């Protein structure tokens, strides 16, 4: 089971942002629970926790499939594991750390996206849109997947060795229906408890 997020800003990421996120995640999440394996690099974090749930966080320029402007940079967050509850629990804790760190940069507007991927497709939807749909009580959501495919411009055929003159990336879109609880942790109102009279 895997869940992903893309958090971007329409400029370069602030210097040291990923390092700040890393420090906050260690203090708030892994200091108590501990880790099984850890790999850190300048632009990425990879952690395997005691439940064998993986956290992978990488920062950098947006790829062609990601929403945003050409100069946008962002953070791609992947959480993967065999147990959905552990993945959702880690997502909630880590995302809280990420959001708190982003509040350290009040002058920047960060866009948050829920990401759904398959081996050939990626789709992005704004996190607040998915949360708003979840708040209405809906259980499913329509996602529009972008399918990136290579296309070639065919030459005039006179030069057989250079028949394919150019290569470009085009995208087609396909709609898929997903369960909201596969994309987001349950909303607080789903945790309602009966009130006992005293």
């Amino acid at each position: 089971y895997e869940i992903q997020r893309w958090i971007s800003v329409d400029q370069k990421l602030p210097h040291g942002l990923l390092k700040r996120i890393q420090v906050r995640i260690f203090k708030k999440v892994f200091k108590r629970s501990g880790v099984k394996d850890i790999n850190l690099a300048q632009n990425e974090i990879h952690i395997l926790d005691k439940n064998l749930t993986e956290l992978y966080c990488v920062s950098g320029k947006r790829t062609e499939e990601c929403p945003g402007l050409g100069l946008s940079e962002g953070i791609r967050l992947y959480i993967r594991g065999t147990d959905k509850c552990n993945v959702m629990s880690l997502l909630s804790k880590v995302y809280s750390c990420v959001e708190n760190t982003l509040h350290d940069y009040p002058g920047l507007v960060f866009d948050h996206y829920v990401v759904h991927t398959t081996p050939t497709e990626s789709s992005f939807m704004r996190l607040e849109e998915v949360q708003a749909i979840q708040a209405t009580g809906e259980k499913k959501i329509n996602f529009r997947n972008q399918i990136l495919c290579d296309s070639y411009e065919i030459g005039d055929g006179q030069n057989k060795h250079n028949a394919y003159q150019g290569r470009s990336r085009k995208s087609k879109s396909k709609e898929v229906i997903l369960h909201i609880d596969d994309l987001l942790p349950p909303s607080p109102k789903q945790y309602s408890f009966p009130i006992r009279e005293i």
Side-chain angles (χ1 to χ4, degrees), residues 13-25 41-45 57-60 74-77 98 101 105:
L13 287 173
H15 181 72
L17 173 63
L18 193 64
K19 187 75 174 170
R20 282 179 165 214
I21 290 171
Q22 174 188 310
V23 169
R24 198 166 248 147
I25 287 171
Q42 186 174 351
N43 295 324
E44 44 187 86
I45 305 165
C57 193
V58 61
S59 66
I75 293 169
R76 191 81 175 249
L77 187 68
V98 170
T101 306
Y105 304 92

Side-chain angles (χ1 to χ4, degrees), residues 6 8 61-69 76 122 124 148:
W6 167 248
S8 68
K61 293 180 181 175
R62 69 176 276 278
T63 58
E64 192 175 342
E65 64 182 2
C66 296
L69 301 174
R76 191 81 175 249
S122 290
F124 298 77
L148 290 174

Side-chain angles (χ1 to χ4, degrees), residues 11-146:
Q11 63 178 61
K12 286 190 165 206
L13 287 173
H15 181 72
L17 173 63
L18 193 64
K19 187 75 174 170
R20 282 179 165 214
I21 290 171
Q22 174 188 310
V23 169
R24 198 166 248 147
I25 287 171
F26 276 107
K27 275 186 181 176
K28 304 282 185 186
V29 180
F30 295 112
K31 191 174 181 182
R32 292 184 203 122
S33 63
V35 296
K36 192 170 178 70
D37 188 34
I38 183 167
N39 292 297
L40 304 174
Q42 186 174 351
N43 295 324
E44 44 187 86
I45 305 165
H46 179 258
I47 300 168
L48 184 66
D49 74 7
K50 297 252 171 108
N51 294 319
L52 303 180
T53 304
E54 273 182 287
L55 164 66
Y56 180 64
C57 193
V58 61
S59 66
K61 293 180 181 175
R62 69 176 276 278
T63 58
E64 192 175 342
E65 64 182 2
C66 296
L69 301 174
L71 299 174
S72 297
E73 290 191 356
I75 293 169
R76 191 81 175 249
L77 187 68
Y78 305 81
I79 300 177
R80 180 184 308 136
T82 54
D83 187 294
K84 181 179 172 181
C85 290
N86 289 339
V87 170
M88 286 297 188
S89 172
L90 186 57
L91 172 69
S92 296
K93 293 172 189 171
V94 167
Y95 215 80
S96 173
C97 294
V98 170
E99 287 182 314
N100 288 335
T101 306
L102 298 181
H103 290 150
D104 296 343
Y105 304 92
L108 294 179
V109 177
F110 290 91
D111 295 314
H112 299 251
Y113 295 90
V114 173
V115 184
H116 174 255
T117 59
T118 69
T120 57
E121 305 164 350
S122 290
S123 55
F124 298 77
M125 187 177 274
R126 287 188 180 273
L127 177 62
E128 58 267 22
E129 285 180 42
V130 181
Q131 288 171 330
I133 292 168
Q134 182 190 45
T136 67
E138 287 290 327
K139 301 289 183 205
K140 294 182 180 179
I141 189 167
N142 287 343
F143 251 75
R144 187 166 294 282
N145 276 1
Q146 296 298 318

Side-chain angles (χ1 to χ4, degrees), residues 5-6 28 49 93 101 139 151 156-157 161 163 176-177 193:
R5 295 289 184 267
W6 167 248
K28 304 282 185 186
D49 74 7
K93 293 172 189 171
T101 306
K139 301 289 183 205
S151 64
D156 58 10
H161 298 292
V176 290
I177 297 173
F193 298 101

